[in-house]
Amino acid sequence: SALCSDMADVSLPAAKRARHVAAEGEMHVPRDIVARIQCGLKSEPQAVSSGSSRPFSLLSWNIDGIDDHGPQDTMLRALAVAEHIATTQPVAVCLQEVIPPQLELLLAPQTLGGCYDVVCAENPSLPYYCAMLLHKRRVRRVSSQTRHFETSKMGRHLLSVDVVVDGCSSSPVTLLTTHLESTKSEKRERVRQLAEVFRVMAESASRSRTLILAGDLNVRDDEVVAARQAAGAGADRVLDAWQCCGSPKDHEFTWDMATNTNLGAPHRARCRFDRCLFAGGAWAPTSFELVGRTRAGGRFPSDHYGLQIAFAAASLAEGPCTPGGAE
């Protein structure tokens, strides 16, 4: 379009890479993709008065930084994520399994750097970790904290960021993201981690403060039940956004080997590993959808589909999970 006709060819230097995607030289970013990203960002969020309770959306995505199909594939998949972010402009993006080259690409001036800031987990023990992108014009960051799970064998952690959205300081939000212990054999550790998350959320939520967790929990339904029981009092006040939005079947399986071919898995396992949980009385989810279900450069952006969840002031939301409701 005319809006993007003056975009120049872009070359971004390669960052220091994790061993599995080691590469030298420069990555040449396709001009047409960068142009589409810039076009998406031109549609700035509509101005709102400070303190208004304007609805907002949140994106969560395990972007599979440890996928070993080479730096070109890593770049194309990261750019597909950037293009979706530019088009939808969520107030926050919760990322799991992210590596430095992906973050450098996502936050380059030619992509999302002019619109988003980043908060990374502190002192990660592995070259992939959790991070959060925050919309510069809509989100004010107050504080952040990284909580490392003491008994994790995989360097897993909980990243939490206290924010104010659109100047609405009377209804603050704590955003959390995590990537819980992987593989079926680590069920006990994963339940322990999720129970810890439930306790953190139950203790901090209030009528004015909402806590929203979105991430790759790697959980099965029976593990959620076990974690609630282990967490004790208050865990029942932590609700599941997908269930609160009517449990839409077309947006259930976030790790779906029946439709996503990135891993080339011989099985067709379908799991709801990625979830959004929330607690508190100020904000409630109004819609829930899976994203990233189209290919980018021959492959999907990740082996996981992303979650995009819309939230509105609880007084305006409808459904079983508004304040005082239950799952």
Side-chain angles (χ1 to χ4, degrees):
S1 68
L3 202 59
C4 304
S5 60
D6 59 348
M7 286 297 300
D9 288 327
V10 175
S11 238
L12 298 178
K16 181 179 179 182
R17 300 178 180 278
R19 288 189 297 262
H20 52 274
V21 290
E24 296 181 358
E26 291 189 340
M27 295 296 297
H28 295 282
V29 180
R31 182 175 180 269
D32 61 327
I33 300 178
V34 174
R36 292 199 300 268
I37 292 170
Q38 290 296 313
C39 282
L41 293 175
K42 294 284 185 179
S43 303
E44 296 186 11
Q46 187 177 7
V48 292
S49 59
S50 179
S52 67
S53 298
R54 174 188 173 190
F56 64 84
S57 72
L58 173 72
L59 174 66
S60 178
W61 211 336
N62 177 327
I63 57 173
D64 197 14
I66 59 175
D67 183 303
D68 191 7
H69 278 73
Q72 183 75 10
D73 173 77
T74 299
M75 178 194 69
L76 291 175
R77 292 189 299 105
L79 286 174
V81 173
E83 187 172 349
H84 178 83
I85 293 170
T87 301
T88 60
Q89 291 197 46
V91 297
V93 182
C94 298
L95 299 173
Q96 307 88 43
E97 217 167 281
V98 64
I99 60 174
Q102 290 174 313
L103 277 184
E104 184 192 25
L105 191 58
L106 291 173
L107 293 169
Q110 301 94 332
T111 52
L112 304 175
C115 195
Y116 285 88
D117 286 322
V118 66
V119 182
C120 292
E122 298 176 0
N123 303 316
S125 59
L126 293 174
Y128 65 93
Y129 42 84
C130 294
M132 201 177 296
L133 307 185
L134 303 176
H135 200 289
K136 290 181 179 181
R137 290 182 293 278
R138 295 194 62 187
V139 176
R140 176 170 63 86
R141 172 186 168 189
V142 178
S143 63
S144 61
Q145 178 183 3
T146 303
R147 186 184 188 113
H148 294 274
F149 296 120
E150 293 183 0
T151 52
S152 173
K153 302 173 186 175
M154 304 178 183
R156 302 300 163 89
H157 45 265
L158 175 67
L159 174 62
S160 62
V161 185
D162 293 329
V163 302
V164 171
V165 180
D166 291 327
C168 194
S169 57
S170 61
S171 301
V173 177
T174 299
L175 300 170
L176 307 98
T177 190
T178 190
H179 182 195
L180 299 186
E181 213 81 353
S182 303
T183 73
K184 197 169 185 177
S185 62
E186 293 298 329
K187 172 179 179 177
R188 180 175 298 180
E189 173 61 22
R190 188 163 48 251
V191 168
R192 183 182 297 114
Q193 292 171 2
L194 184 55
E196 186 174 337
V197 171
F198 278 139
R199 284 191 289 269
V200 168
M201 296 183 70
E203 289 168 4
S204 302
S206 66
R207 182 173 295 277
S208 62
R209 176 172 293 278
T210 304
L211 278 80
I212 304 173
L213 167 78
D216 178 5
L217 307 188
N218 277 312
V219 290
R220 289 74 172 169
D221 289 343
D222 66 305
E223 296 172 3
V224 176
V225 173
R228 287 189 188 279
Q229 292 174 343
D236 59 339
R237 296 195 296 271
V238 180
L239 307 178
D240 187 312
W242 178 76
Q243 293 176 338
C244 290
C245 291
S247 304
K249 289 299 182 181
D250 289 346
H251 300 276
E252 179 174 8
F253 301 116
T254 67
W255 193 76
D256 188 351
M257 298 302 97
T259 61
N260 190 310
T261 57
N262 274 23
L263 296 182
H267 56 80
R268 294 170 65 86
R270 312 182 80 192
C271 303
R272 192 164 73 95
F273 284 157
D274 307 79
R275 305 194 182 199
C276 177
L277 308 176
F278 71 102
W283 301 92
T286 57
S287 69
F288 184 106
E289 66 173 325
L290 299 185
V291 302
R293 298 200 279 188
T294 57
R295 298 176 187 270
R299 305 181 75 229
F300 293 95
S302 173
D303 61 321
H304 289 249
Y305 297 134
L307 317 178
Q308 191 128 21
I309 311 100
F311 282 82
S315 58
L316 302 177
E318 297 179 355
C321 295
T322 51
E327 288 183 283

